[in-house]
Amino acid sequence: PKTLSLQGQIYFGQGKLAEALDVHEKAKTLRIEVFGEDHLEVAASLSNISKALMMQGKLHDAKMALDSALHIQRRHLGRRHKYVAFTEEGMGNLLKQEGRNEEAVQYFQKALSTARHVEDTLFAERVQKSLDALGTTCDSTA
């Protein structure tokens, strides 16, 4: 599955979105066979699938995949983990692309709060820029 995920990332970089999606779907299937459906490796595949779908403009399907990934991550890692925050940021970006800015802000605020909690300054700055682009600020208690 890791080799497939790497191949999918290469396809992303080449702009071959259909191929990337196909490879990430195969990686997800293999990860489910090996680890079961409720595993962080499956969540990683779902995040990659969501990215491919989002880049193809299939936002509804992308959101469903990202929701599933986030659910698995929160169950295994809790709400204050860096990987959860990355996925929350992704959800914020997806919702922003859909024009659902108020919901996007909520996800960006969660991601920013976690980034500050785990003291990841670069990630916090990136999320803050997303919030700034929406004309919103966030305090660290979100």
Side-chain angles (χ1 to χ4, degrees):
K2 294 250 186 229
T3 302
L4 286 173
S5 291
L6 180 59
Q7 184 180 8
Q9 297 304 326
I10 291 169
Y11 283 141
F12 276 136
Q14 295 173 338
K16 297 178 180 178
L17 302 179
E19 292 89 341
L21 178 59
D22 183 55
V23 168
H24 286 304
E25 288 281 2
K26 288 177 184 173
K28 181 190 87 167
T29 299
L30 286 172
R31 286 174 169 165
I32 289 172
E33 288 175 11
V34 172
F35 301 115
E37 289 190 16
D38 186 37
H39 194 277
L40 290 171
E41 290 292 326
V42 175
S45 287
L46 287 165
S47 292
N48 289 332
I49 289 166
S50 176
K51 179 180 174 184
L53 291 166
M54 191 168 135
M55 292 173 72
Q56 292 177 358
K58 299 176 182 176
L59 301 182
H60 175 74
D61 293 337
K63 185 177 183 305
M64 289 176 50
L66 208 53
D67 273 335
S68 296
L70 193 54
H71 185 71
I72 292 168
Q73 289 174 332
R74 285 178 175 163
R75 187 169 38 258
H76 288 280
L77 301 171
R79 294 186 178 271
R80 297 291 248 177
H81 193 279
K82 186 175 180 173
Y83 293 154
V84 173
F86 288 154
T87 305
E88 289 170 339
E89 178 195 26
M91 184 66 80
N93 285 322
L94 191 151
L95 292 166
K96 179 181 170 187
Q97 191 171 337
E98 286 185 321
R100 296 164 60 183
N101 291 350
E102 288 182 22
E103 292 173 77
V105 165
Q106 292 173 7
Y107 279 95
F108 286 137
Q109 287 175 334
K110 290 175 189 177
L112 180 57
S113 177
T114 299
R116 290 176 176 163
H117 177 76
V118 300
E119 299 180 2
D120 187 332
T121 306
L122 292 176
F123 179 52
E125 289 173 3
R126 184 176 77 206
V127 175
Q128 185 62 59
K129 286 179 184 176
S130 295
L131 280 167
D132 292 346
L134 291 171
T136 306
T137 58
C138 174
D139 64 39
S140 61
T141 61

